[in-house]
Amino acid sequence: MTQRVLTTESGAPVADNQNSATAGVGGPILLQDQHLLEKLARFNRERIPERVVHARGSGAYGYFEVTDDVTGFTRADFLSAVGKRTETFIRFSTVADSLGGADAVRDPRGFALKFYTDEGNYDLVGNNTPVFFIKDPIKFPDFIHSQKRDPFTGRQEPDNVWDFWAHAPEATHQVTWLMGDRGIPASYRHMNGYGSHTYQWTNTEGEAFFVKYHFKTNQGVRSLSSEQAAELAGRDGSSHQTDLLQAIERGVNPSWTLHVQVMPAAEAADYRFNPFDLTKVWPHSDYPLQRVGRLVLDRNPDNVFAEVEQAAFSPNNFVPGIGPSPDKMLQGRLFAYADAHRYRLGVNHTQLPVNAPRTAVVDNYGRDGLHATRNGARHDRNYEPNSYAGPAQTDAPLSAPLAVHGWTGTHAAPAHTKDDDFFQAGELYRLMSEDEKGRLVANIAGSLSQVTRDDVIEKNLAHFHAADAEYGQRVEDAVRALRED
């Protein structure tokens, strides 16, 4: 095998990578040692800002294969024929902790999926829960601040966590999910994924439908108890990364079956729950799951930094036939996600290999900026319209228009007949077995009992009482017992 030659960043061969250049034997290092200075300067700049949320993540490549005809609902080309396959990249993550946090913790999991379609990249950004803690993006920074490390103590504080939830009764549904058995997945392979938000599909006739995505794991749902998770996190902080990597390397390729719930757009206004409220689900009895296809992960990234940390997902990356809904949290994320990547990775982050389209041709007037690699040829113009055969608009909207009416202002979300902050949390509690209820109560009480303010505890107990009388009483009794010890 021919020995490769070590070079500097400019391509010059390196004579000595073991010893710095000095003024004589044992003398001080010379400023002219370009190789040394380059290595140290690059080393100082190896890290980019980590994600504020979803910092700790793992990823894999795979494909999505259509198994059922959904052309009656959407004209999206990658869903246009049974058997059609589209390359994908997925990033799993925890939400609240930093890049150095453990995988096996009680926290929602990100489930962000990029489809490299022939019509451009489609990003579906979701979680392993079908709901979330809040319904309006203006509260998102406050929520995340309450879950992050306290500015003084430098750790996550139960006082902050539960104080925010005390003032956010709509969080009761997601808190019930988080503190239940599915709050700590055994691995990324053994959890479901959800689009969580409501999206719009449009068919070739221009008919609009609202949809929710459900990725059901074909490995079966498996979760960890708090005790199991603590042991695993102490033994291997990268447990979920290890599991995903080794499974794919062994050829045990994890897969999920995608189903959607489909609501004709005309039914949204009179549905019993606000269909665009991220703290609510659509009961399957109202809108049954309809199978679409399967997602298979079959290749690990070659470089975690280049392909997992630099992977950028944005829910405003739509393709023809798919678009947004009036979901307020989704509307906020249409801006926030793309803006986060422009900050972390630069305005040209879409040109990075993991983010660039595979088959679709990118042709626009974006120029310059940090790390620009696609800047046009000498005769290309960077304005539009022009007389030089530059790219032009299609006049074909990606999705159907959304009707709006009323006065501008800061409005609360419209109330539907069954809308309240507690009904669905109570329904979820009542679906649980007795053992599941016991673990849920113990998990909540173990955390809530650490809160130092009685009024914050009482406000949270009131939420559980409102969801279900038995639920509230059991949590109250368990908290009291722990505080009396």
Side-chain angles (χ1 to χ4, degrees), residues 262-272 275 287:
V262 181
M263 174 188 292
E267 297 180 11
D270 296 324
Y271 185 48
R272 56 190 177 129
Y287 295 99

Side-chain angles (χ1 to χ4, degrees), residues 316-444:
N316 62 7
N317 287 340
F318 293 114
V319 292
I322 303 178
S325 78
D327 179 335
K328 293 178 78 173
M329 283 295 295
L330 172 60
Q331 292 284 323
R333 284 172 167 155
L334 297 181
F335 162 75
Y337 276 60
D339 188 58
H341 304 315
R342 294 184 191 106
Y343 161 66
R344 294 182 61 246
L345 303 170
V347 71
N348 291 304
H349 67 272
T350 54
Q351 297 175 28
L352 294 168
V354 70
N355 299 321
R358 293 292 192 265
T359 55
V361 175
V362 176
D363 198 0
N364 57 42
Y365 297 94
R367 296 290 187 272
D368 307 335
L370 193 66
H371 306 314
T373 60
R374 189 187 67 242
N375 233 32
R378 69 166 67 182
H379 297 301
D380 288 339
R381 299 303 191 266
N382 64 341
Y383 56 88
E384 194 280 336
N386 62 59
S387 304
Y388 297 86
Q393 65 194 44
T394 66
D395 294 321
L398 300 188
S399 57
L402 297 171
V404 296
H405 59 86
W407 299 94
T408 61
T410 53
H411 304 291
H416 290 232
T417 56
K418 276 290 187 72
D419 273 343
D420 68 48
D421 294 326
F422 309 110
F423 176 79
Q424 290 198 354
E427 290 282 272
L428 179 58
Y429 173 79
R430 289 184 286 274
L431 283 173
M432 295 180 181
S433 69
E434 184 55 37
D435 286 346
E436 289 173 321
K437 289 177 180 178
R439 289 188 291 269
L440 168 67
V441 168
N443 290 334
I444 293 174

Side-chain angles (χ1 to χ4, degrees), residues 31-73:
L31 187 62
Q32 71 184 40
D33 190 340
Q34 184 260 353
H35 180 52
L36 169 66
L37 300 186
E38 184 177 82
K39 283 186 73 174
L40 294 180
R42 169 171 279 278
F43 180 74
N44 286 341
R45 293 163 175 80
E46 281 184 357
R47 297 295 172 263
I48 61 175
E50 70 174 46
R51 291 166 169 87
V52 177
V53 289
H54 297 281
R56 172 73 179 174
S58 302
Y61 292 95
Y63 63 86
F64 179 79
E65 181 178 11
V66 179
T67 58
D68 294 78
D69 183 9
V70 292
T71 55
F73 304 121

Side-chain angles (χ1 to χ4, degrees), residues 270-339:
D270 296 324
Y271 185 48
R272 56 190 177 129
F273 304 108
N274 181 349
F276 311 117
D277 181 348
L278 187 55
T279 68
K280 304 287 195 303
V281 297
W282 303 353
H284 294 181
S285 57
D286 294 345
Y287 295 99
L289 296 180
Q290 303 189 45
R291 193 176 65 177
V292 179
R294 68 182 184 126
L295 169 69
V296 179
L297 305 182
D298 60 4
R299 179 165 68 89
N300 283 309
D302 291 324
N303 185 286
V304 172
F305 175 80
E307 299 167 90
V308 179
E309 289 313 300
Q310 292 194 130
F313 301 85
S314 178
N316 62 7
N317 287 340
F318 293 114
V319 292
I322 303 178
S325 78
D327 179 335
K328 293 178 78 173
M329 283 295 295
L330 172 60
Q331 292 284 323
R333 284 172 167 155
L334 297 181
F335 162 75
Y337 276 60
D339 188 58

Side-chain angles (χ1 to χ4, degrees), residues 10-160:
S10 61
V14 173
D16 191 339
N17 193 46
Q18 318 306 319
N19 303 287
S20 302
T22 60
V25 177
I29 286 175
L30 296 175
L31 187 62
Q32 71 184 40
D33 190 340
Q34 184 260 353
H35 180 52
L36 169 66
L37 300 186
E38 184 177 82
K39 283 186 73 174
L40 294 180
R42 169 171 279 278
F43 180 74
N44 286 341
R45 293 163 175 80
E46 281 184 357
R47 297 295 172 263
I48 61 175
E50 70 174 46
R51 291 166 169 87
V52 177
V53 289
H54 297 281
R56 172 73 179 174
S58 302
Y61 292 95
Y63 63 86
F64 179 79
E65 181 178 11
V66 179
T67 58
D68 294 78
D69 183 9
V70 292
T71 55
F73 304 121
T74 179
R75 61 187 176 93
D77 180 71
F78 78 101
L79 299 175
S80 62
V82 172
K84 185 161 189 172
R85 286 189 177 186
T86 299
E87 185 182 359
T88 62
F89 182 79
I90 195 167
R91 187 176 187 272
F92 304 106
S93 56
T94 54
V95 174
D97 212 344
S98 61
L99 189 57
D103 287 342
V105 294
R106 188 171 298 280
D107 198 18
R109 298 300 190 277
F111 194 99
L113 187 60
K114 188 181 296 291
F115 299 83
Y116 299 101
T117 87
D118 294 337
E119 297 180 300
N121 289 352
Y122 171 48
D123 289 352
L124 181 60
V125 179
N127 284 324
N128 71 326
T129 60
V131 293
F132 196 61
F133 299 93
I134 53 176
K135 63 181 72 174
D136 194 304
I138 203 167
K139 297 309 299 174
F140 188 76
D142 300 303
F143 165 63
I144 295 300
H145 289 165
S146 74
Q147 310 297 302
K148 284 284 191 178
R149 297 173 187 269
D150 182 83
F152 172 65
T153 66
R155 65 172 195 166
Q156 189 184 62
E157 290 291 346
D159 276 356
N160 300 346

Side-chain angles (χ1 to χ4, degrees), residues 194-213:
Y194 301 88
S196 301
H197 295 290
T198 300
Y199 294 90
Q200 185 204 73
W201 277 6
T202 310
N203 64 19
T204 54
E205 285 73 43
E207 296 176 294
F209 303 87
F210 292 119
V211 300
K212 283 187 175 290
Y213 295 86

